[in-house]
Amino acid sequence: MAHDLPTPNREGLIPAEVLAAVPGCESGLPPLAVHVLMGGGHNDVRRVETSVGKFVVRRRLPPVTRAGSDAALELGCHRLAARSGLAPRVVAAASDGTWMVMDFVAGNPWQERDLSCAAGVRVLGERLALVHALPVAARMPPLDAAGIARQQLQAINSNNVPTTIQREADELAQRTNQLATMLQGREVPACINHGDLQVANLIGNPPLLIDWEYAQVAAPTYDIACLLTYYPQLRSWQSELLAAAGLSRPADLELLGLQAQLFACLNRLWALANGLASVVSDGINAG
């Protein structure tokens, strides 16, 4: 919800049936104001102000379900987190997750400097421990890393990219398959992971987690792998982060080593599929 850019509300910007689900806009009542919020390019996100309060309308743009991003899983994980006070309350939503209305969170988003101090690392680890303790519904599918890599590879190859990019993508997909196979043999209870722990998705202190678009059901070290991929400087705080998240066993550290490689591969494939070849690859062991 960073980069709040006020813009006039255009007619038809938010579909009428979605706007009607916003408290204060029932029966066709217009909102007092609408502001554009950051949506990552794959979503339309608006802050809607009414006589009742401030809310966020989040709509997935086509294609609704994408590689590693399932609309129904996002909604289910967000709702579970919200019920435990870990995410904004969901006011209303489409049954298939194509859109949702939630409370607006007025706190400040985190900054990278919050990941470079003992207090920030501790509170984030403790928050993740609560996320990973959320109940997993039977209908929630487990992480399919090989499937995600396959879909990303198809998208990359359909974009007529240079041979060097195709070669890199092929190697990344192969390595992802290897890592996924290695991880399958480990009996680790799967749990809900946020899956996209950018600092902009952490609001307030202790943080509420927003934007569950890339939520996954996987071992709890998956979220730690995400953080280490996005913010390599956190490696100097890795022990403290793992301890705060309740992941201090030697087996957790070994699992994290594999998942850090896996997440780095998937993150690089995502960048290539979205035309971001200049994004620096980090932490990928092709051996």
Side-chain angles (χ1 to χ4, degrees):
M1 296 185 185
H3 306 290
D4 186 355
L5 306 173
T7 61
N9 185 28
R10 301 180 182 88
E11 185 178 357
L13 192 61
I14 300 175
E17 66 273 17
V18 178
L19 194 59
V22 179
C25 290
E26 302 88 345
S27 304
L29 291 174
L32 300 178
V34 175
H35 303 267
V36 178
L37 302 181
M38 183 65 69
H42 295 297
N43 308 285
D44 184 90
V45 187
R46 314 263 166 186
R47 188 180 79 211
V48 179
E49 300 178 11
T50 74
S51 59
V52 176
K54 297 179 181 179
F55 306 91
V56 171
V57 174
R58 176 181 171 86
R59 294 188 296 131
R60 280 179 167 249
L61 301 175
V64 170
T65 293
R66 301 175 286 276
S69 176
D70 181 270
L73 183 59
E74 175 189 2
L75 177 59
C77 292
H78 187 138
R79 274 182 162 156
L80 284 170
R83 289 168 189 161
S84 295
L86 300 168
R89 178 179 66 107
V90 177
V91 177
S95 59
D96 60 359
T98 53
W99 60 266
M100 70 176 75
V101 179
M102 66 197 88
D103 287 336
F104 173 74
V105 179
N108 294 321
W110 278 38
Q111 305 295 323
E112 288 195 38
R113 62 175 177 271
D114 294 314
L115 302 178
S116 300
C117 65
V121 169
R122 183 180 65 255
V123 73
L124 179 56
E126 292 171 348
R127 210 62 166 165
L128 291 180
L130 295 175
V131 170
H132 300 155
L134 295 171
V136 177
R139 65 183 180 277
M140 291 180 173
L143 171 68
D144 179 11
I148 294 172
R150 184 169 56 252
Q151 294 177 61
Q152 298 286 28
L153 187 60
Q154 290 173 351
I156 292 166
N157 291 335
S158 67
N159 288 339
N160 194 29
V161 297
T163 302
T164 54
I165 298 298
Q166 289 181 335
R167 186 181 303 116
E168 180 186 1
D170 287 337
E171 293 174 353
L172 287 165
Q174 291 175 13
R175 182 56 179 161
T176 300
N177 289 337
Q178 293 172 357
L179 291 164
T181 299
M182 295 169 68
L183 288 164
Q184 281 177 355
R186 298 172 180 271
E187 296 182 1
V188 179
C191 64
I192 290 174
N193 284 255
H194 180 274
D196 190 24
L197 291 169
Q198 302 179 56
V199 288
N201 290 336
L202 305 171
I203 308 296
N205 191 6
L208 290 180
L209 279 63
I210 65 170
D211 192 355
W212 291 75
E213 180 180 359
Y214 292 99
Q216 298 292 343
V217 174
T221 45
Y222 186 80
D223 266 339
I224 308 299
C226 168
L227 282 165
L228 295 179
T229 300
Y230 289 171
Y231 307 106
Q233 71 271 23
L234 253 180
R235 288 173 185 154
S236 62
W237 294 92
Q238 178 176 301
S239 296
E240 291 83 355
L241 180 60
L242 287 169
L247 300 169
S248 296
R249 302 175 306 161
D252 294 324
L253 188 60
E254 183 181 358
L255 184 62
L256 175 59
L258 293 173
Q259 285 192 318
Q261 295 178 53
L262 181 75
F263 191 95
C265 286
L266 293 176
N267 189 57
R268 179 61 177 169
L269 282 167
W270 181 93
L272 295 177
N274 286 272
L276 302 175
S278 61
V279 172
V280 175
S281 166
D282 182 77
I284 301 173
N285 179 359

